[in-house]
Amino acid sequence: QVQLVESGGGLVQPGGSLRLSCAASGSTSGLNVMGWYRQAPGKQRELVARITRGGVTGYADSVKGRFTISMDNAKNTVYLQMNRLIPLDTDVYYCTGGSIVRPLLYWGQGTQVTVSS
């Protein structure tokens, strides 16, 4: 079993930045893919960014050029640097983790990001 604990959410003004962190613990040896999803009430959950232990990344078109995902393999921690935030980025952000074939095995509890003036 793997536990994912997110941190770093909060309130920020449009144009500002936040960095989310997600620390994995437990049986992390098979944890080869980590990522971030987001969801607002009444909306479908959507992929924000994903990264493999080898450093291969993928992003939603809506965040390309603004968000950067990175992973510290030694710490089993994934980060999401969010720059030039806009109100549409307001959501609950969930950390995910899993294997290459099952990347969404594990989910964190979510952290709220609110972009508002």
Side-chain angles (χ1 to χ4, degrees), residues 56-110:
V56 177
T57 60
Y59 296 92
D61 287 342
S62 58
V63 306
K64 281 181 182 175
R66 300 189 298 123
F67 292 10
T68 302
I69 190 170
S70 60
M71 182 189 285
D72 185 328
N73 288 326
K75 295 182 179 179
N76 291 309
T77 299
V78 65
Y79 305 95
L80 185 68
Q81 178 66 43
M82 305 185 293
N83 298 327
R84 292 187 281 134
L85 284 158
I86 61 177
L88 282 176
D89 294 320
T90 296
D91 269 320
V92 178
Y93 284 69
Y94 296 89
C95 178
T96 64
S99 63
I100 296 295
V101 294
R102 297 184 67 187
L104 302 181
L105 268 177
Y106 306 106
W107 290 77
Q109 291 190 321

Side-chain angles (χ1 to χ4, degrees), residues 10-28:
L11 173 65
V12 64
Q13 291 188 342
S17 299
L18 278 176
R19 189 174 85 149
L20 304 182
S21 300
C22 173
S25 61
S27 302
T28 60

